[in-house]
Amino acid sequence: MRDILRDRWLYMMLLPGIAYFIVFKYVPMYGVTMAFQDYKPHLGMLNSPWVGMKHFERFFAEPQFWMLFRNTVLLAVYNLVFFFPMPIILALMLNEVRSGGYKRFVQTLIYIPHFVSWVVVVGIFYLLLTTENGVLNEIIFRLTGDKIAFLLDPDWFRTMIISQSIWKEVGWGTIIFLAALAGVDLQLYEAARMDGAGRWRQLWHITLPAIRSTIIILLILRLGNFLDSGFEHIFLMLTPTNRDVGDVFDTYVYVKGMTQAQYSYSAAVGLFKSVVGLVLVLGSNWLAKRFGQEGVY
């Protein structure tokens, strides 16, 4: 208590963050009970009848379940394989830039897309890729005489989703890695150069090990959102022709919960996603510690 009283102003600075998590993260968890009820708005959560695992059984028996599961997992794997390494690679490249002014200019340039809404991003790609006077399609037409229906062809859907995510968020994702790289002792590089190590050797034996714990922690946190494909992004890109490859758990919850008012059923689907994320976080954290790395906790 003496320590708390002594540092009371530091603890006071924690209050806004604590209040945020209590109000927006912990209090809404009470709504999870809807997944085990036949929720009726006029009865409320306290008086709605309990149905146990009924909605989960229905969800797993739905014909769309495996289609939704496949689409969600594939997008999650693509994000993990193609998107996750990009901020690391970009941060390593920026770390090699010696001109401070040029480095700041590039950082500013790649941060800007993060502040652009998904509506604007999808609109930009629509103007580039549409078959009706789309810039890219006009170039392809002049070169080959054909046009590609990027926005309608299901085969292009996942490629566009990952490309848009990389363009929008990869720059912002470099911030944490650049901060980790700034803490690397420069004397290590000087010693490596004296031993004859080139840039690649320094990168492999000094830079990457220095940010390894940061990479592992961010990977564990990303696995917690493994099935979170980003509702707004996917929803804006969906068309009747690509729905078979684009429908994911998030869009399914929206359709069932908001447009069809199946609140308990959609809550069950959302809870299923959360449980999978929790299992992945616990499992990946255990594996990280098993291999001698620092986990999240």
Side-chain angles (χ1 to χ4, degrees):
M1 286 301 299
R2 284 198 304 269
D3 292 339
I4 292 175
L5 289 173
R6 184 191 62 213
D7 300 324
R8 59 187 178 278
W9 297 113
L10 293 176
Y11 285 103
M12 288 287 288
M13 294 174 65
L14 288 174
L15 289 181
I18 294 173
Y20 167 80
F21 280 98
I22 291 175
V23 173
F24 295 105
K25 300 296 182 181
Y26 287 100
V27 173
M29 287 178 68
Y30 178 69
V32 166
T33 56
M34 290 173 55
F36 305 95
Q37 296 175 325
D38 189 6
Y39 176 74
K40 305 294 182 184
H42 64 280
L43 295 176
M45 282 188 287
L46 293 177
N47 298 315
S48 295
W50 289 85
V51 294
M53 304 296 289
K54 170 186 171 182
H55 300 298
F56 294 95
E57 293 171 359
R58 174 192 165 189
F59 177 52
F60 297 138
E62 286 280 358
Q64 301 101 314
F65 173 76
W66 288 111
M67 182 265 289
L68 295 169
F69 186 80
R70 182 192 69 237
N71 293 344
T72 305
V73 169
L74 279 176
L75 279 174
V77 170
Y78 287 0
N79 264 304
L80 208 58
V81 173
F82 297 107
F83 174 77
F84 182 76
M86 290 303 295
I88 303 171
I89 296 171
L90 187 56
L92 293 173
M93 293 172 66
L94 287 171
N95 192 55
E96 296 297 318
V97 176
R98 292 293 170 258
S99 172
Y102 179 70
K103 182 178 180 178
R104 287 190 294 272
F105 171 75
V106 173
Q107 285 179 276
T108 303
L109 201 63
I110 62 178
Y111 291 165
I112 290 174
H114 171 76
F115 300 99
V116 179
S117 72
W118 278 118
V119 176
V120 176
V121 172
V122 172
I124 292 172
F125 272 74
Y126 177 83
L127 293 174
L128 290 173
L129 302 176
T130 180
T131 53
E132 299 176 2
N133 302 319
V135 176
L136 185 59
N137 256 317
E138 286 297 319
I139 296 173
I140 295 174
F141 180 75
R142 292 178 185 276
L143 293 175
T144 65
D146 296 318
K147 292 186 176 182
I148 301 174
F150 293 103
L151 301 174
L152 300 177
D153 190 346
D155 294 337
W156 283 98
F157 179 80
R158 297 187 183 103
T159 302
M160 288 192 297
I161 292 294
I162 301 304
S163 301
Q164 291 167 4
S165 297
I166 290 174
W167 181 79
K168 186 177 186 297
E169 299 294 348
V170 70
W172 190 254
T174 62
I175 293 177
I176 295 177
F177 296 109
L178 286 172
L181 289 170
V184 180
D185 189 352
L186 297 179
Q187 293 181 358
L188 295 174
Y189 293 108
E190 294 177 5
R193 282 194 294 270
M194 291 179 65
D195 289 338
R199 300 303 302 176
W200 285 107
R201 286 286 184 180
Q202 294 174 40
L203 175 68
W204 186 256
H205 293 289
I206 299 175
T207 308
L208 284 176
I211 63 172
R212 182 169 53 200
S213 60
T214 304
I215 294 173
I216 291 173
I217 289 173
L218 290 178
L219 178 61
I220 293 172
L221 294 176
R222 178 164 287 274
L223 286 174
N225 297 319
F226 186 73
L227 296 183
D228 188 1
S229 305
F231 163 74
E232 184 182 4
H233 186 195
I234 303 293
F235 186 75
L236 291 169
M237 290 296 295
L238 281 179
T239 64
T241 58
N242 63 24
R243 191 167 288 276
D244 286 342
V245 298
D247 250 337
V248 293
F249 290 135
D250 293 325
T251 56
Y252 186 70
V253 167
Y254 170 77
V255 171
K256 294 298 182 181
M258 300 302 294
T259 65
Q260 299 180 13
Q262 300 182 35
Y263 304 116
S264 292
Y265 180 64
S266 58
V269 179
L271 182 57
F272 166 74
K273 274 183 52 187
S274 300
V275 170
V276 172
L278 176 63
V279 171
L280 288 173
V281 166
L282 295 176
S284 55
N285 190 76
W286 178 80
L287 281 175
K289 289 194 170 184
R290 187 68 180 264
F291 285 99
Q293 302 298 321
E294 292 184 9
V296 176
Y297 59 90

